Amino acid sequence: PPPCEPAEGPMSKRVFGIIPNYRTSPCLVNYKPLSVREKYKIASEDSFDRGTVVLALAFAGESQLTNANRAFGHGVSGYAQYFGTAYGDFVIGDFMTEGVFPSLLHQDPRYFRYGRGGVSRRMGYAVGQIFWTHNDSGSSGFNYSELVGNSTAVAISESYYVNERDASDAGIKLASQLGVDAAANVLKEFWPDILRKFGRH
């Protein structure tokens, strides 16, 4: 397991005040698995946090500016569709990767910080957690919940993205989602360091 860094206070629930941070844990020492109810609680907190809404609004704006889905059109009506699909992506993805598949596969959806050591080592660990995770038994294994969960979410999303229904688009979307999750892990890994650097606890 990674080194344990004693918590200096309650874990910040949002990175930069926006990105939900409910599933980050500072330590693997004295590990206790989550119940199914606790896994779904994390999925709910991430899905319905105000930060998730803000991110969906931002993603919707970017998608409309780039005309990502021409069928949605422009104006308020088009933006509403972009927002609805972006928020749907977040909610479905959160529930699949943090609730449904971790419960079915007995895997832990939390991100356990490395906390100490060099920047490159910690970044590698953070990105690696996309592919390697902790099981409820305390052992480690391939992160099927992340890969299968996001693949399922992408498959569901194909039903409401009118112009994105082929395998190529789905593959790009899955790769993008995994990249976003990896970047989120890196932010969660270093967020306490950023807070300390700027004197915020």
Side-chain angles (χ1 to χ4, degrees):
C4 180
E5 182 179 27
E8 297 182 355
M11 184 67 64
S12 174
K13 296 304 180 184
R14 297 180 188 86
V15 176
F16 294 117
I18 298 175
I19 301 171
N21 192 32
Y22 293 96
R23 65 186 182 115
T24 302
S25 179
C27 189
L28 264 172
V29 175
N30 300 321
Y31 173 76
K32 293 182 180 179
L34 297 174
S35 66
V36 170
R37 181 175 182 177
E38 288 172 324
K39 292 174 183 179
Y40 276 95
K41 183 175 185 291
I42 290 175
S44 297
E45 289 174 333
D46 275 345
S47 295
F48 304 118
D49 185 82
R50 67 172 183 265
T52 302
V53 176
V54 172
L55 288 172
L57 289 168
F59 273 63
E62 188 275 336
S63 294
Q64 188 172 46
L65 285 174
T66 59
N67 198 25
N69 196 311
R70 293 185 299 277
F72 289 170
H74 301 283
V76 175
S77 176
Y79 182 75
Q81 291 185 74
Y82 278 114
F83 169 72
T85 53
Y87 186 62
D89 288 347
F90 281 123
V91 173
I92 295 169
D94 286 341
F95 272 92
M96 290 298 163
T97 60
E98 299 172 16
V100 176
F101 283 100
S103 297
L104 291 174
L105 302 175
H106 305 290
Q107 294 189 313
D108 198 313
R110 288 175 291 184
Y111 173 74
F112 295 93
R113 295 184 63 245
Y114 202 89
R116 295 175 182 173
V119 172
S120 60
R121 183 184 184 91
R122 292 172 66 187
M123 286 188 69
Y125 168 83
V127 173
Q129 290 303 289
I130 294 297
F131 305 101
W132 200 254
T133 193
H134 304 281
N135 298 316
D136 291 343
S137 64
S139 64
S140 298
F142 185 77
N143 197 347
Y144 290 103
S145 296
E146 174 73 21
L147 184 62
V148 179
N150 274 315
S151 295
T152 302
V154 168
I156 293 172
S157 75
E158 291 301 288
S159 66
Y160 52 79
Y161 279 101
V162 180
N163 291 339
E164 300 179 20
R165 299 183 65 89
D166 58 48
S168 175
D169 287 324
I172 292 172
K173 197 169 183 180
L174 175 59
S176 175
Q177 184 56 56
L178 293 175
V180 168
D181 288 350
N185 280 357
V186 172
L187 287 175
K188 291 171 182 178
E189 175 66 31
F190 291 100
W191 182 236
D193 303 271
I194 294 171
L195 291 180
R196 282 194 294 270
K197 182 176 178 63
F198 291 96
R200 295 174 57 192
H201 298 280

